[in-house]
Protein backbone atom coordinates (compact mmCIF):
# COMPACT_ATOMS: atom_id res chain seq x y z
CA UNK A 1 0.00 0.00 0.00
CA UNK A 2 1.05 3.62 -0.51
CA UNK A 3 2.19 5.95 2.24
CA UNK A 4 -0.70 7.68 3.99
CA UNK A 5 -2.01 10.92 2.55
CA UNK A 6 -3.57 13.63 4.60
CA UNK A 7 -7.34 13.88 4.43
CA UNK A 8 -8.95 17.32 4.09
CA UNK A 9 -11.23 17.72 7.08
CA UNK A 10 -12.75 20.55 9.01
CA UNK A 11 -10.98 19.99 12.31
CA UNK A 12 -9.73 22.26 15.08
CA UNK A 13 -6.10 23.34 14.51
CA UNK A 14 -3.97 20.23 14.80
CA UNK A 15 -0.28 20.27 15.61
CA UNK A 16 2.34 18.16 17.34
CA UNK A 17 3.76 19.94 20.38
CA UNK A 18 6.13 17.08 21.15
CA UNK A 19 7.60 17.59 17.66
CA UNK A 20 8.76 21.03 18.83
CA UNK A 21 11.48 19.20 20.76
CA UNK A 22 14.72 18.49 18.87
CA UNK A 23 14.78 15.38 16.69
CA UNK A 24 16.94 13.47 19.18
CA UNK A 25 13.71 12.88 21.17
CA UNK A 26 11.94 10.92 18.47
CA UNK A 27 11.94 9.59 14.94
CA UNK A 28 9.50 10.99 12.43
CA UNK A 29 7.79 8.25 10.49
CA UNK A 30 4.41 7.44 9.04
CA UNK A 31 2.12 4.70 10.31
CA UNK A 32 2.04 1.58 8.14
CA UNK A 33 -1.32 1.06 6.46
CA UNK A 34 -3.52 -1.93 7.19
CA UNK A 35 -5.57 -3.52 4.39
CA UNK A 36 -9.36 -3.07 4.53
CA UNK A 37 -9.65 -1.67 8.04
CA UNK A 38 -13.02 -1.68 9.84
CA UNK A 39 -14.43 0.00 12.92
CA UNK A 40 -14.69 -2.25 15.96
CA UNK A 41 -15.82 0.42 18.42
CA UNK A 42 -15.78 4.17 18.90
CA UNK A 43 -15.94 6.14 22.13
CA UNK A 44 -18.31 8.95 21.22
CA UNK A 45 -17.35 10.75 24.41
CA UNK A 46 -13.72 10.97 23.27
CA UNK A 47 -14.78 11.96 19.74
CA UNK A 48 -16.67 14.82 21.35
CA UNK A 49 -13.68 15.80 23.51
CA UNK A 50 -11.66 16.10 20.31
CA UNK A 51 -14.42 17.96 18.50
CA UNK A 52 -14.49 15.42 15.65
CA UNK A 53 -17.37 16.11 13.28
CA UNK A 54 -20.17 13.58 13.93
CA UNK A 55 -20.43 12.81 10.19
CA UNK A 56 -16.81 11.63 10.27
CA UNK A 57 -17.68 8.91 12.79
CA UNK A 58 -20.15 7.38 10.35
CA UNK A 59 -18.00 7.81 7.26
CA UNK A 60 -15.82 5.12 5.68
CA UNK A 61 -12.89 7.50 6.14
CA UNK A 62 -12.95 6.99 9.89
CA UNK A 63 -11.46 3.50 9.78
CA UNK A 64 -8.87 4.64 7.20
CA UNK A 65 -7.81 7.56 9.41
CA UNK A 66 -7.44 5.61 12.63
CA UNK A 67 -5.83 2.59 11.06
CA UNK A 68 -3.11 5.02 9.99
CA UNK A 69 -3.94 4.65 6.28
CA UNK A 70 -4.76 8.34 5.90
CA UNK A 71 -3.52 11.20 8.05
CA UNK A 72 -5.38 13.89 9.91
CA UNK A 73 -4.48 17.29 8.48
CA UNK A 74 -1.55 18.83 10.35
CA UNK A 75 -0.28 15.45 11.56
CA UNK A 76 3.45 15.14 12.15
CA UNK A 77 3.66 11.46 13.09
CA UNK A 78 6.56 10.36 15.23
CA UNK A 79 7.69 7.63 17.61
CA UNK A 80 9.33 8.83 20.83
CA UNK A 81 12.37 7.37 22.52
CA UNK A 82 12.42 6.42 26.21
CA UNK A 83 14.12 3.92 28.49
CA UNK A 84 13.14 2.38 31.78
CA UNK A 85 13.31 -0.11 34.59
CA UNK A 86 11.33 -3.28 33.91
CA UNK A 87 10.53 -5.56 36.85
CA UNK A 88 13.05 -3.68 38.96
CA UNK A 89 15.93 -4.02 36.50
CA UNK A 90 17.39 -1.38 34.19
CA UNK A 91 16.22 -2.30 30.68
CA UNK A 92 18.05 0.37 28.68
CA UNK A 93 16.47 1.93 25.61
CA UNK A 94 12.85 1.10 24.84
CA UNK A 95 10.67 3.70 23.12
CA UNK A 96 7.44 3.73 21.13
CA UNK A 97 7.91 0.35 19.50
CA UNK A 98 4.37 0.29 18.18
CA UNK A 99 3.00 3.77 18.78
CA UNK A 100 2.81 6.75 16.46
CA UNK A 101 2.08 10.14 17.98
CA UNK A 102 0.11 11.96 15.27
CA UNK A 103 -0.13 15.32 16.98
CA UNK A 104 -2.55 17.17 19.14
CA UNK A 105 -5.12 19.87 19.41
CA UNK A 106 -6.11 22.37 22.02
CA UNK A 107 -9.75 23.22 22.64
CA UNK A 108 -11.91 24.46 25.49
CA UNK A 109 -11.76 20.98 27.05
CA UNK A 110 -7.96 20.91 27.19
CA UNK A 111 -4.94 19.80 25.18
CA UNK A 112 -5.22 16.38 23.56
CA UNK A 113 -2.58 14.33 21.84
CA UNK A 114 -3.55 11.50 19.56
CA UNK A 115 -1.52 8.33 19.31
CA UNK A 116 -2.05 5.21 17.22
CA UNK A 117 -0.96 2.02 18.97
CA UNK A 118 -0.27 -0.94 16.71
CA UNK A 119 0.26 0.94 13.44
CA UNK A 120 3.53 -0.73 12.51
CA UNK A 121 7.21 -0.92 13.32
CA UNK A 122 9.39 1.94 14.45
CA UNK A 123 13.12 2.24 15.17
CA UNK A 124 12.23 1.26 18.77
CA UNK A 125 10.46 -2.00 17.96
CA UNK A 126 13.49 -4.08 18.98
CA UNK A 127 12.75 -6.90 16.58
CA UNK A 128 9.02 -7.04 17.35
CA UNK A 129 6.34 -6.47 14.73
CA UNK A 130 4.94 -3.09 15.76
CA UNK A 131 1.45 -4.49 15.74
CA UNK A 132 -1.22 -5.06 18.38
CA UNK A 133 -3.83 -7.78 18.24
CA UNK A 134 -7.59 -7.32 18.42
CA UNK A 135 -7.77 -8.91 21.88
CA UNK A 136 -5.30 -6.55 23.58
CA UNK A 137 -6.63 -3.52 21.71
CA UNK A 138 -10.17 -4.16 22.92
CA UNK A 139 -8.86 -4.58 26.47
CA UNK A 140 -6.99 -1.27 26.33
CA UNK A 141 -9.91 0.53 24.71
CA UNK A 142 -12.49 -0.70 27.21
CA UNK A 143 -10.33 -0.22 30.27
CA UNK A 144 -9.27 3.31 29.33
CA UNK A 145 -12.90 4.29 29.05
CA UNK A 146 -13.95 2.27 32.10
CA UNK A 147 -11.33 4.04 34.23
CA UNK A 148 -12.51 7.40 32.90
CA UNK A 149 -16.06 6.39 33.85
CA UNK A 150 -14.82 5.54 37.34
CA UNK A 151 -13.22 8.98 37.59
CA UNK A 152 -9.64 7.66 37.68
CA UNK A 153 -7.03 9.78 35.82
CA UNK A 154 -6.19 7.90 32.64
CA UNK A 155 -5.25 8.10 29.00
CA UNK A 156 -8.44 7.82 26.93
CA UNK A 157 -9.23 5.77 23.86
CA UNK A 158 -11.07 7.04 20.80
CA UNK A 159 -11.55 3.79 18.92
CA UNK A 160 -10.41 0.34 17.95
CA UNK A 161 -9.92 -0.33 14.26
CA UNK A 162 -9.49 -3.93 13.17
CA UNK A 163 -8.24 -5.61 10.01
CA UNK A 164 -8.09 -9.23 8.87
CA UNK A 165 -4.32 -8.95 8.79
CA UNK A 166 -2.57 -11.85 10.49
CA UNK A 167 -0.34 -11.19 13.49
CA UNK A 168 1.68 -13.96 15.06
CA UNK A 169 1.49 -14.32 18.83
CA UNK A 170 1.19 -17.69 20.59
CA UNK A 171 -1.21 -18.38 17.77
CA UNK A 172 -2.14 -16.39 14.67
CA UNK A 173 -4.46 -13.53 15.57
CA UNK A 174 -5.62 -10.43 13.68
CA UNK A 175 -4.29 -6.88 13.84
CA UNK A 176 -5.97 -3.88 15.40
CA UNK A 177 -5.05 -0.29 16.14
CA UNK A 178 -6.24 1.52 19.23
CA UNK A 179 -6.23 5.32 19.14
CA UNK A 180 -5.17 6.70 22.48
CA UNK A 181 -5.87 10.26 23.53
CA UNK A 182 -4.23 12.09 26.43
CA UNK A 183 -2.80 15.50 27.27
CA UNK A 184 0.62 13.86 26.90
CA UNK A 185 2.40 10.52 26.81
CA UNK A 186 5.69 11.45 28.51
CA UNK A 187 6.84 8.71 30.88
CA UNK A 188 9.19 8.44 33.87
CA UNK A 189 11.38 6.50 31.45
CA UNK A 190 11.52 9.46 29.05
CA UNK A 191 13.61 11.24 31.71
CA UNK A 192 15.58 8.17 32.74
CA UNK A 193 16.63 7.82 29.13
CA UNK A 194 18.62 11.08 29.07
CA UNK A 195 19.92 10.76 32.62
CA UNK A 196 21.30 7.30 31.87
CA UNK A 197 23.16 8.71 28.87
CA UNK A 198 24.55 11.60 30.88
CA UNK A 199 22.83 14.16 28.65
CA UNK A 200 21.82 17.03 30.97
CA UNK A 201 20.91 19.30 28.11
CA UNK A 202 18.22 16.97 26.74
CA UNK A 203 17.06 16.26 30.27
CA UNK A 204 16.49 19.95 30.79
CA UNK A 205 14.81 20.39 27.41
CA UNK A 206 12.37 17.62 28.26
CA UNK A 207 11.66 19.03 31.72
CA UNK A 208 11.15 22.50 30.25
CA UNK A 209 8.79 21.05 27.65
CA UNK A 210 6.71 19.30 30.33
CA UNK A 211 6.60 22.40 32.53
CA UNK A 212 5.75 24.81 29.73
CA UNK A 213 3.15 22.53 28.16
CA UNK A 214 1.46 20.99 31.18
CA UNK A 215 2.61 22.51 34.46
CA UNK A 216 3.33 26.23 33.88
CA UNK A 217 2.69 26.87 37.59
CA UNK A 218 6.02 25.12 38.35
CA UNK A 219 7.87 28.01 36.67
CA UNK A 220 7.13 30.27 39.61
CA UNK A 221 8.85 27.96 42.09
CA UNK A 222 12.38 28.63 43.39
CA UNK A 223 13.44 25.45 41.57
CA UNK A 224 10.95 24.62 38.80
CA UNK A 225 12.37 21.08 38.34
CA UNK A 226 11.95 20.29 41.99
CA UNK A 227 8.41 21.65 41.77
CA UNK A 228 7.74 19.36 38.81
CA UNK A 229 9.11 16.34 40.64
CA UNK A 230 6.93 17.15 43.64
CA UNK A 231 3.93 17.50 41.36
CA UNK A 232 4.55 14.09 39.74
CA UNK A 233 5.06 12.51 43.15
CA UNK A 234 1.86 13.95 44.60
CA UNK A 235 -0.23 12.97 41.57
CA UNK A 236 1.25 9.48 41.52
CA UNK A 237 0.35 9.05 45.20
CA UNK A 238 -3.21 10.14 44.51
CA UNK A 239 -3.40 7.84 41.50
CA UNK A 240 -2.26 4.83 43.53
CA UNK A 241 -4.91 5.57 46.16
CA UNK A 242 -7.53 5.73 43.43
CA UNK A 243 -6.40 2.43 41.92
CA UNK A 244 -6.53 0.73 45.31
CA UNK A 245 -10.00 2.14 45.99
CA UNK A 246 -11.50 0.73 42.79
CA UNK A 247 -9.50 -2.51 43.03
CA UNK A 248 -7.49 -1.83 39.88
CA UNK A 249 -4.25 -3.70 39.31
CA UNK A 250 -2.03 -2.41 36.51
CA UNK A 251 0.05 -5.55 36.26
CA UNK A 252 3.19 -4.08 34.70
CA UNK A 253 4.22 -0.96 36.60
CA UNK A 254 7.58 -0.58 34.92
CA UNK A 255 8.97 2.96 34.89
CA UNK A 256 8.33 3.18 31.15
CA UNK A 257 4.63 2.66 31.87
CA UNK A 258 4.41 5.47 34.44
CA UNK A 259 2.96 8.76 33.23
CA UNK A 260 4.69 12.01 34.15
CA UNK A 261 1.18 13.53 34.29
CA UNK A 262 -0.11 11.03 36.87
CA UNK A 263 -2.37 9.20 34.41
CA UNK A 264 -3.00 5.48 34.22
CA UNK A 265 -0.97 4.51 31.15
CA UNK A 266 -0.38 1.39 29.04
CA UNK A 267 -3.11 -1.12 29.65
CA UNK A 268 -1.76 -4.63 29.27
CA UNK A 269 -2.28 -7.45 31.76
CA UNK A 270 -4.40 -5.31 34.12
CA UNK A 271 -7.17 -6.69 36.30
CA UNK A 272 -9.87 -5.63 38.74
CA UNK A 273 -9.97 -7.28 42.13
CA UNK A 274 -12.67 -9.92 42.38
CA UNK A 275 -12.49 -12.37 45.38
CA UNK A 276 -10.34 -10.15 47.60
CA UNK A 277 -6.70 -11.11 47.90
CA UNK A 278 -4.18 -8.34 48.49
CA UNK A 279 -1.48 -10.63 47.11
CA UNK A 280 -3.29 -11.21 43.81
CA UNK A 281 -1.01 -11.20 40.72
CA UNK A 282 -2.95 -10.21 37.62
CA UNK A 283 -0.01 -10.52 35.20
CA UNK A 284 0.75 -14.12 34.35
CA UNK A 285 4.37 -13.17 33.48
CA UNK A 286 4.97 -11.55 36.90
CA UNK A 287 6.50 -14.64 38.50
CA UNK A 288 7.84 -12.84 41.57
CA UNK A 289 4.58 -11.04 42.31
CA UNK A 290 6.26 -7.66 42.06
CA UNK A 291 3.05 -5.99 40.92
CA UNK A 292 0.47 -7.45 43.28
CA UNK A 293 -2.41 -5.29 44.48
CA UNK A 294 -0.78 -4.64 47.82
CA UNK A 295 2.61 -3.80 46.33
CA UNK A 296 1.37 -1.10 43.96
CA UNK A 297 1.85 1.88 46.30
CA UNK A 298 5.38 0.71 47.19
CA UNK A 299 6.32 0.07 43.59
CA UNK A 300 5.08 3.50 42.56
CA UNK A 301 7.36 5.01 45.20
CA UNK A 302 10.28 2.91 44.00
CA UNK A 303 9.56 4.17 40.48
CA UNK A 304 9.50 7.73 41.77
CA UNK A 305 12.98 7.24 43.25
CA UNK A 306 14.15 6.18 39.77
CA UNK A 307 12.63 9.36 38.41
CA UNK A 308 14.22 11.40 41.20
CA UNK A 309 17.62 9.99 40.31
CA UNK A 310 17.04 11.11 36.74
CA UNK A 311 16.08 14.58 38.03
CA UNK A 312 19.22 14.91 40.15
CA UNK A 313 21.28 16.62 37.42
CA UNK A 314 18.47 19.20 37.16
CA UNK A 315 17.80 19.79 40.85
CA UNK A 316 21.48 19.25 41.70
CA UNK A 317 21.05 18.77 45.47
CA UNK A 318 20.62 15.11 46.48
CA UNK A 319 18.72 15.80 49.71
CA UNK A 320 16.34 18.24 48.06
CA UNK A 321 15.72 15.73 45.29
CA UNK A 322 14.95 12.91 47.68
CA UNK A 323 12.80 15.14 49.87
CA UNK A 324 10.72 15.99 46.81
CA UNK A 325 9.43 12.41 46.98
CA UNK A 326 9.62 11.77 50.72
CA UNK A 327 7.72 14.91 51.66
CA UNK A 328 4.93 14.41 49.16
CA UNK A 329 4.27 10.83 48.13
CA UNK A 330 3.36 9.13 51.39
CA UNK A 331 1.16 11.95 52.53
CA UNK A 332 -0.62 12.29 49.18
CA UNK A 333 -1.24 8.55 49.04
CA UNK A 334 -2.43 8.20 52.60
CA UNK A 335 -4.70 11.23 52.55
CA UNK A 336 -6.29 10.21 49.27
CA UNK A 337 -6.58 6.58 50.31
CA UNK A 338 -8.31 7.48 53.58
CA UNK A 339 -10.61 9.86 51.75
CA UNK A 340 -11.60 7.15 49.25
CA UNK A 341 -12.05 4.54 51.95
CA UNK A 342 -14.17 6.82 54.11
CA UNK A 343 -16.37 7.48 51.12
CA UNK A 344 -16.59 3.75 50.35
CA UNK A 345 -17.51 2.97 53.95
CA UNK A 346 -20.05 5.78 54.20
CA UNK A 347 -18.16 7.70 56.90
CA UNK A 348 -19.36 11.26 56.83
CA UNK A 349 -16.32 12.70 58.59
CA UNK A 350 -13.01 11.37 59.82
CA UNK A 351 -12.02 10.24 63.30
CA UNK A 352 -8.59 9.41 64.69
CA UNK A 353 -9.40 5.70 64.65
CA UNK A 354 -10.22 5.47 60.95
CA UNK A 355 -6.83 4.16 59.92
CA UNK A 356 -7.26 1.27 62.35
CA UNK A 357 -10.81 0.58 61.18
CA UNK A 358 -9.77 0.63 57.51
CA UNK A 359 -6.94 -1.77 58.37
CA UNK A 360 -9.37 -4.05 60.18
CA UNK A 361 -11.68 -3.97 57.16
CA UNK A 362 -8.91 -5.05 54.79
CA UNK A 363 -7.89 -7.81 57.20
CA UNK A 364 -11.49 -8.99 57.24
CA UNK A 365 -11.71 -8.92 53.43
CA UNK A 366 -8.44 -10.83 53.17
CA UNK A 367 -9.66 -13.52 55.52
CA UNK A 368 -13.09 -14.02 53.95
CA UNK A 369 -12.40 -13.06 50.32
CA UNK A 370 -15.72 -11.63 49.19
CA UNK A 371 -15.85 -10.04 45.74
CA UNK A 372 -14.34 -6.58 46.28
CA UNK A 373 -16.76 -4.66 44.05
CA UNK A 374 -19.90 -6.50 45.18
CA UNK A 375 -18.90 -6.14 48.84
CA UNK A 376 -18.82 -2.35 48.79
CA UNK A 377 -21.84 -2.04 46.53
CA UNK A 378 -23.89 -4.30 48.79
CA UNK A 379 -22.69 -2.39 51.85
CA UNK A 380 -24.08 0.76 50.23
CA UNK A 381 -27.59 -0.73 50.50
CA UNK A 382 -27.53 -1.53 54.22
CA UNK A 383 -29.31 0.42 56.95
CA UNK A 384 -27.17 2.28 59.46
CA UNK A 385 -29.02 0.70 62.40
CA UNK A 386 -29.02 -3.05 62.98
CA UNK A 387 -32.57 -4.16 62.17
CA UNK A 388 -31.95 -7.87 61.69
CA UNK A 389 -30.38 -10.32 59.33
CA UNK A 390 -32.85 -9.99 56.39
CA UNK A 391 -31.93 -6.32 55.91
CA UNK A 392 -28.26 -7.29 55.81
CA UNK A 393 -28.81 -10.10 53.32
CA UNK A 394 -27.21 -8.31 50.33
CA UNK A 395 -23.90 -8.31 52.19
CA UNK A 396 -24.26 -11.48 54.28
CA UNK A 397 -24.96 -13.50 51.12
CA UNK A 398 -21.40 -12.81 49.96
CA UNK A 399 -19.99 -14.69 52.97
CA UNK A 400 -19.73 -18.32 53.91
CA UNK A 401 -19.01 -17.28 57.49
CA UNK A 402 -22.08 -15.15 58.27
CA UNK A 403 -21.10 -14.71 61.92
CA UNK A 404 -17.83 -13.07 60.87
CA UNK A 405 -19.78 -10.77 58.57
CA UNK A 406 -22.17 -9.85 61.42
CA UNK A 407 -19.24 -9.12 63.73
CA UNK A 408 -17.65 -6.78 61.21
CA UNK A 409 -21.02 -5.13 60.53
CA UNK A 410 -21.39 -4.41 64.24
CA UNK A 411 -18.03 -2.57 64.16
CA UNK A 412 -19.05 -0.71 61.03
CA UNK A 413 -22.31 0.42 62.61
CA UNK A 414 -20.56 1.51 65.77
CA UNK A 415 -18.24 3.59 63.63
CA UNK A 416 -21.14 5.04 61.59
CA UNK A 417 -22.78 6.14 64.83
CA UNK A 418 -19.76 8.29 65.68
CA UNK A 419 -20.46 10.52 62.69
CA UNK A 420 -24.24 10.16 62.17
CA UNK A 421 -25.66 10.54 58.68
CA UNK A 422 -29.18 9.75 57.53
CA UNK A 423 -29.48 6.50 55.58
CA UNK A 424 -30.77 7.91 52.30
CA UNK A 425 -27.98 10.46 51.96
CA UNK A 426 -25.29 8.09 53.13
CA UNK A 427 -26.43 5.33 50.80
CA UNK A 428 -26.50 7.69 47.82
CA UNK A 429 -22.99 8.92 48.70
CA UNK A 430 -21.78 5.34 49.05
CA UNK A 431 -23.23 4.36 45.68
CA UNK A 432 -21.32 7.27 44.15
CA UNK A 433 -18.08 5.89 45.65
CA UNK A 434 -18.66 2.17 45.08
CA UNK A 435 -19.07 1.18 41.43
CA UNK A 436 -21.53 -1.50 40.52
CA UNK A 437 -19.71 -2.25 37.26
CA UNK A 438 -15.99 -2.72 36.65
CA UNK A 439 -14.22 -4.29 33.68
CA UNK A 440 -13.91 -7.80 35.04
CA UNK A 441 -11.62 -10.05 33.00
CA UNK A 442 -14.47 -12.36 32.11
CA UNK A 443 -16.50 -9.45 30.72
CA UNK A 444 -13.63 -8.33 28.53
CA UNK A 445 -13.05 -11.93 27.48
CA UNK A 446 -16.69 -12.46 26.56
CA UNK A 447 -16.63 -9.33 24.38
CA UNK A 448 -13.31 -10.38 22.81
CA UNK A 449 -14.56 -13.87 21.92
CA UNK A 450 -17.55 -12.41 20.08
CA UNK A 451 -15.38 -9.77 18.41
CA UNK A 452 -13.00 -12.43 17.12
CA UNK A 453 -16.02 -14.00 15.46
CA UNK A 454 -16.87 -10.66 13.84
CA UNK A 455 -19.58 -9.53 16.27
CA UNK A 456 -18.62 -6.24 17.95
CA UNK A 457 -21.94 -5.67 19.70
CA UNK A 458 -20.67 -6.87 23.06
CA UNK A 459 -17.71 -4.45 23.01
CA UNK A 460 -20.12 -1.60 22.36
CA UNK A 461 -22.66 -2.74 24.95
CA UNK A 462 -19.95 -3.09 27.60
CA UNK A 463 -18.61 0.36 26.78
CA UNK A 464 -22.08 1.85 27.19
CA UNK A 465 -22.45 0.22 30.61
CA UNK A 466 -18.98 1.15 31.88
CA UNK A 467 -19.61 4.79 31.06
CA UNK A 468 -21.84 5.03 34.17
CA UNK A 469 -20.39 2.46 36.54
CA UNK A 470 -21.97 4.02 39.62
CA UNK A 471 -25.53 3.91 38.24
CA UNK A 472 -27.84 0.95 38.78
CA UNK A 473 -28.55 0.36 35.04
CA UNK A 474 -30.79 -2.71 35.49
CA UNK A 475 -30.46 -3.50 31.76
CA UNK A 476 -26.82 -4.43 32.43
CA UNK A 477 -27.39 -6.48 35.58
CA UNK A 478 -25.58 -9.43 33.92
CA UNK A 479 -22.34 -7.41 34.02
CA UNK A 480 -22.48 -7.12 37.81
CA UNK A 481 -22.37 -10.87 38.34
CA UNK A 482 -19.60 -12.97 39.86
CA UNK A 483 -17.28 -14.57 37.28
CA UNK A 484 -18.75 -17.72 35.74
CA UNK A 485 -16.94 -21.05 36.08
CA UNK A 486 -15.46 -20.88 32.59
CA UNK A 487 -13.57 -17.72 33.59
CA UNK A 488 -11.60 -19.29 36.43
CA UNK A 489 -8.61 -20.19 34.25
CA UNK A 490 -8.29 -16.88 32.38
CA UNK A 491 -4.72 -15.61 32.21
CA UNK A 492 -3.31 -12.39 30.84
CA UNK A 493 0.33 -11.52 30.38
CA UNK A 494 2.60 -8.79 28.94
CA UNK A 495 2.85 -7.38 25.43
CA UNK A 496 0.34 -8.63 22.95
P1 LIG B 1 4.92 -2.90 27.21
O1 LIG B 1 5.32 -4.11 28.00
O2 LIG B 1 3.69 -3.09 26.36
O3 LIG B 1 4.84 -1.66 28.03
O4 LIG B 1 6.08 -2.68 26.15
C1 LIG B 1 7.43 -2.53 26.47
C2 LIG B 1 8.21 -2.10 25.26
O5 LIG B 1 8.07 -3.06 24.21
C3 LIG B 1 7.79 -0.78 24.65
O6 LIG B 1 8.94 -0.16 24.15
C4 LIG B 1 6.87 -1.20 23.54
O7 LIG B 1 6.78 -0.25 22.51
C5 LIG B 1 7.55 -2.45 23.04
N1 LIG B 1 6.62 -3.38 22.38
C6 LIG B 1 5.70 -4.17 22.97
N2 LIG B 1 5.04 -4.92 22.04
C7 LIG B 1 5.56 -4.58 20.84
C8 LIG B 1 5.31 -4.98 19.49
N3 LIG B 1 4.39 -5.91 19.19
N4 LIG B 1 6.04 -4.41 18.52
C9 LIG B 1 6.97 -3.48 18.81
N5 LIG B 1 7.26 -3.07 20.03
C10 LIG B 1 6.57 -3.59 21.05
MG1 LIG C 1 4.59 0.19 27.77
Amino acid sequence: MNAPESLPLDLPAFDNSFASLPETFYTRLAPQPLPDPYVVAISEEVAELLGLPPELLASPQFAELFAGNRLLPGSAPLAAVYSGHQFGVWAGQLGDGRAHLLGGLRNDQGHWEIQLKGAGRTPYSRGADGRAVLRSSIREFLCSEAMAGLGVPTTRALCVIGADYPVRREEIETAAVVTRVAPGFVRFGSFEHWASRDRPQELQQLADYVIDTFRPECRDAANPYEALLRDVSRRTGELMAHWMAVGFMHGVMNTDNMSILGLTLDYGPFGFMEAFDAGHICNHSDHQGRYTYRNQPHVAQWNLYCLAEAFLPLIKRPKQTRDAIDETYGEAFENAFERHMRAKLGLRAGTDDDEAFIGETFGFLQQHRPDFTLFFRALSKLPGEAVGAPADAPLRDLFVDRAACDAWLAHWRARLAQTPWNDAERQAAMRAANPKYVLRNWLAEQAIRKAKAGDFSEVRRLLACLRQPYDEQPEYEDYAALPPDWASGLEVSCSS
Side-chain angles (χ1 to χ4, degrees), residues 41 114 128 158 164 184 263 342 393 398 405 493:
I114 303 178
L158 170 66
D164 296 337
L263 307 169
R342 277 200 198 103
L398 300 174
C405 178
S493 55

Side-chain angles (χ1 to χ4, degrees), residues 114-152:
I114 303 178
Q115 192 186 61
L116 303 183
K117 181 169 175 179
R121 301 195 65 206
T122 78
Y124 316 109
S125 300
R126 298 177 299 143
D129 60 9
R131 291 294 177 190
V133 296
L134 182 63
R135 162 176 56 91
S136 63
S137 303
I138 289 174
R139 280 174 56 85
E140 171 139 25
F141 172 77
L142 285 176
C143 201
S144 307
E145 294 306 286
M147 291 288 265
L150 289 166
V152 183

Side-chain angles (χ1 to χ4, degrees), residues 1 27 49 61 68 81 92 116 189 201 232 250 274 298 334 347 364 400-401 404 414 440 488:
M1 294 182 91
T27 304
L49 275 182
Q61 292 167 343
V81 68
L116 303 183
Q201 191 191 333
V232 179
H250 183 284
E274 297 193 297
H298 307 291
E334 277 154 32
L347 310 181
F364 162 70
V400 177
D401 186 345
R440 296 169 183 273
S488 63

